[in-house]
Amino acid sequence: MKTENHSGSLRGEQGDSDCDYIIVGAGSAGCVAAWRLITETDARVVLLETGGEYTSPYLKLSPGYSRLVPKGIHCTIHRTVPQAHASHRVLEIATGRIVGGGSSVNAQVYMRGYRNDYDQCGLSAGSDLWSWAALLPHFRRLEGNQKFNNEFHGGSGPLQVADPGFFCEYSHLFVKAVQSLGLPFTADFNVGAPTGVGYLQFTARGGRRCSAADAFLSKVRSDSRLRVLTGAQVNRILLDRQRAVGIEYVHQGQRKTLRCRREVLLAAGAFGSPKLLMLSGIGPAEQLRRFDIPVQVDLRGVGQNLQDHCGSPLVLEGNSRGYGYFRQDRGWRLAWNLLEYGLFRRGRLTTVGGEASSFHVTDERSTEATVQIYCVPMIGYANTAADTVPAVDGIKLHATLLRPHSRGSLSLRSSNPADPPLVDPNYLSDSRDLKLLVEGLKIARTIADAAPLRQALGRELLPGAGVQDDAGLADYIRRTVRTDWHPVGTCRMGSSDDPMSVVNATLEVLGVQGLRVIDASVMPNIVSANTNAPTMALADRGLSLLLSGAARADAGREAQ
């Protein structure tokens, strides 16, 4: 006999199934999905995560102090294939391997991008289900903003969003310098049209990170209907006559199977989700046969369409100590910062270390910004052996492509689930990207030379005063371009008649029943923003579509 719960979603007999839903990946999308299913249905849910628990006290500080917690502990470090258009360098892209995923280890920037990013996604999917108007209610209902509560923002949602608790002087000087060049000050970048210059908001409040684990999973973690398995490596999806019925996984050294009555939801990210599809026989047939993987569904688009934000920095030495975050994470300065934070919840540990940004049109054919410049008040990384910088006070003005034209791919290395995939972002393969970044660095130089910022800066360390022409800047970018850790697009959403589509407008994998992808890999085009907040809204939208479809299906069966 079937019973109806408060949401209208129906649940029948369990049979030999272990649960109703399986969610693969406990990152931003997976945590949202678990929260929705547990709070709105009577379903039994199993959430599997390759990494460990989100317990490190350092990660829960606003800056995360990643230098104190090596990324290899909580991240998977993917080494790309040599990048043909970036001096044949092998780059590293880190993805979260921890409950909360990227939201537990990222820089916490809360951005949504342009309205047209979402309207274009809707057009690419052949549906208006993913327009800005359709996504905005999901952004609002998830958000608990510190200062905004209006048609664009939610003030009481579970995801805490706030201004940083500390602003360094370099950030203020940057904002005033950009305004002196004629760009307006913008109080809110998240109304669908980010322009001008201003201060960023973050998924943190009171000096504490608010990851997806904090915002969503913690609300349902104690519910007996939810089981969370950490340290679980999912090997493949189990199919029965083109229907997903469960998964095979390895936990504590033992290979196990888990079966579900309703659906398998993939939330393993732009690298993990396509890899798992291919290991399960869902993907480009030619590639699968190369590794003797039986072809279940020939989907050419799996692993294709990889997109990522990337950019290069203008690096400048400072001449005013104390304006930024130089050596604030070591020695007596760290001790003082920890004491100030512990006693008063104020000071440098209540910020992420980069508070300001600006948006610039570097293509005369565009009416929207093409490059974003982040003011990073520290010199935090070296680029190549030839471009190392001294350990001095200073800033980076990091120019990032908002909508890169280059497209890459992800493919299997072997049929062994333990082997990492081959990742080829193909950075700068489209010549337009290089041109846009050259213009972005020129703008960064103009900002650095504008009052009042110029009075606080000394010499230019990278690319250096000797690099002035476009060819020299282009060569510098090839040697220094790096990821912003925003890979998307490898299971792209689209219409069923598009040979490169992987999921339809309700995120169901084409040719397979009971299987959806609910993470950033479904984005047909990368949004012009940090991808964490859009991924959460995407997952929330996907769960609404899933639950409304399940309710209709159950109602139909009840009527028979």
Side-chain angles (χ1 to χ4, degrees):
M1 180 178 178
K2 296 177 180 177
T3 58
E4 185 173 1
N5 67 21
H6 67 276
S7 71
S9 178
L10 299 175
R11 177 179 169 193
E13 298 297 321
Q14 292 299 319
D16 61 355
S17 296
D18 301 298
C19 60
D20 294 294
Y21 293 95
I22 295 170
I23 306 171
V24 180
S28 295
C31 288
V32 169
W35 171 64
R36 290 290 304 272
L37 290 172
I38 294 299
T39 57
E40 298 180 36
T41 78
D42 60 359
R44 294 184 301 162
V45 179
V46 179
L47 175 63
L48 299 100
E49 167 58 40
T50 304
E53 291 286 358
Y54 168 62
T55 56
S56 169
Y58 293 115
L59 291 179
K60 296 187 179 186
L61 295 174
S62 283
Y65 271 76
S66 58
R67 285 178 289 281
L68 302 179
V69 184
K71 285 191 178 296
I73 295 177
H74 303 301
C75 296
T76 298
I77 308 298
H78 299 271
R79 291 176 60 82
T80 70
V81 303
Q83 294 298 283
H85 304 278
S87 298
H88 299 281
R89 291 181 297 136
V90 173
L91 305 182
E92 292 184 346
I93 304 176
T95 57
R97 191 178 71 245
I98 186 174
V99 171
S103 71
S104 295
V105 296
N106 66 1
Q108 302 152 80
V109 176
Y110 184 87
M111 291 287 283
R112 300 173 181 176
Y114 280 89
R115 176 189 303 265
N116 285 339
D117 296 336
Y118 300 91
D119 291 339
Q120 181 60 39
C121 283
L123 291 172
S124 298
S127 168
D128 61 359
L129 294 175
W130 297 92
S131 66
W132 170 259
L135 266 294
L136 184 57
H138 295 274
F139 280 114
R140 291 185 68 246
R141 78 185 217 93
L142 297 183
E143 182 187 16
N145 200 291
Q146 176 190 43
K147 66 180 182 182
F148 296 122
N149 185 28
N150 51 39
E151 62 178 308
F152 296 106
H153 292 281
S156 58
L159 182 67
Q160 299 295 296
V161 178
D163 295 340
F166 181 88
F167 295 87
C168 76
E169 189 61 22
Y170 277 138
S171 296
H172 292 315
L173 296 176
F174 170 82
V175 170
K176 288 189 282 188
V178 175
Q179 289 181 80
S180 76
L181 298 174
L183 268 72
F185 177 79
T186 301
D188 184 3
F189 287 134
N190 288 307
V191 298
T195 58
V197 63
Y199 300 100
L200 300 165
Q201 286 201 302
F202 302 90
T203 52
R205 184 176 296 184
R208 299 283 290 180
R209 176 191 295 270
C210 185
S211 73
D214 296 314
F216 308 109
L217 191 60
S218 66
K219 306 294 190 296
V220 296
R221 191 70 185 263
S222 61
D223 195 294
S224 61
R225 292 176 294 118
L226 174 64
R227 183 184 178 199
V228 180
L229 281 176
T230 57
Q233 174 64 54
V234 179
N235 288 347
R236 65 187 179 99
I237 302 158
L238 303 177
L239 301 177
D240 181 10
R241 294 190 296 274
Q242 305 305 108
R243 180 175 183 83
V245 296
I247 60 167
E248 175 189 285
Y249 68 103
V250 175
H251 186 243
Q252 296 179 343
Q254 295 184 332
R255 183 175 298 180
K256 303 179 181 181
T257 61
L258 183 68
R259 299 180 70 85
C260 64
R261 190 177 69 87
R262 284 195 178 273
E263 294 196 25
V264 176
L265 308 180
L266 298 189
F271 295 162
S273 289
K275 176 187 172 183
L276 185 54
L277 287 177
M278 289 187 280
L279 289 172
S280 307
I282 304 168
E286 181 180 353
Q287 183 182 162
L288 302 182
R289 293 189 183 107
R290 188 183 313 143
F291 298 113
D292 296 322
I293 299 174
V295 179
Q296 303 294 334
V297 182
D298 181 7
L299 284 181
R300 290 168 47 195
V302 175
Q304 302 302 305
N305 193 48
L306 174 59
Q307 301 161 58
D308 187 17
H309 292 132
C310 64
S312 287
L314 182 74
V315 184
L316 301 114
E317 187 174 11
N319 61 22
S320 302
R321 289 199 169 197
Y323 276 15
Y325 297 108
F326 178 57
R327 290 183 173 170
Q328 293 294 327
D329 60 344
R330 65 191 69 182
W332 69 267
R333 292 183 181 88
L334 176 59
W336 169 256
N337 290 333
L338 287 168
L339 182 64
E340 185 180 25
Y341 174 83
L343 291 177
F344 307 111
R345 283 292 177 96
R346 71 186 187 196
R348 288 172 171 82
L349 288 187
T350 61
T351 184
V352 301
E355 302 99 15
S357 190
S358 58
F359 292 82
H360 306 270
V361 178
T362 60
D363 184 345
E364 61 185 17
R365 295 166 296 181
S366 177
T367 58
E368 298 175 341
T370 52
V371 167
Q372 181 178 1
I373 295 179
Y374 291 93
C375 176
V376 184
M378 67 186 83
I379 301 174
Y381 66 88
N383 299 286
T384 69
D387 290 318
T388 54
V389 294
V392 296
D393 176 51
I395 67 170
K396 296 193 301 284
L397 299 184
H398 185 77
T400 292
L401 286 174
L402 287 173
R403 286 176 295 279
H405 296 90
S406 300
R407 297 292 183 267
S409 64
L410 177 138
S411 56
L412 292 178
R413 190 179 300 268
S414 74
S415 60
N416 183 352
D419 287 343
L422 293 169
V423 177
D424 182 10
N426 211 14
Y427 295 126
L428 307 181
S429 57
D430 190 305
S431 60
R432 290 174 292 181
D433 290 347
L434 187 59
K435 181 178 179 182
L436 291 173
L437 281 178
V438 166
E439 296 303 315
L441 283 182
K442 291 179 181 178
I443 291 172
R445 275 179 163 167
T446 302
I447 295 170
D449 195 44
L453 182 57
R454 69 179 176 218
Q455 283 81 13
L457 299 177
R459 59 182 173 136
E460 180 183 302
L461 300 175
L462 292 176
V467 180
Q468 291 295 328
D469 61 8
D470 287 5
L473 289 173
D475 181 63
Y476 166 75
I477 291 168
R478 294 187 193 98
R479 291 185 288 113
T480 60
V481 69
R482 49 158 280 184
T483 175
D484 277 19
W485 298 290
H486 299 156
V488 307
T490 49
C491 298
R492 59 165 287 188
M493 185 194 320
S495 58
S496 57
D497 59 355
D498 183 340
M500 300 307 291
S501 295
V502 177
V503 302
N504 63 19
T506 55
L507 307 188
E508 297 165 295
V509 175
L510 299 174
V512 184
Q513 294 181 310
L515 179 62
R516 296 182 201 238
V517 184
I518 59 169
D519 57 36
S521 66
V522 306
M523 292 182 182
N525 301 292
I526 194 167
V527 294
S528 51
N530 302 67
T531 51
N532 189 41
T535 297
M536 293 180 186
L538 184 156
D540 194 56
R541 178 66 172 157
L543 263 292
S544 292
L545 295 172
L546 180 157
L547 293 174
S548 62
R552 287 194 299 269
D554 284 341
R557 284 192 291 268
E558 187 73 18
Q560 291 178 356

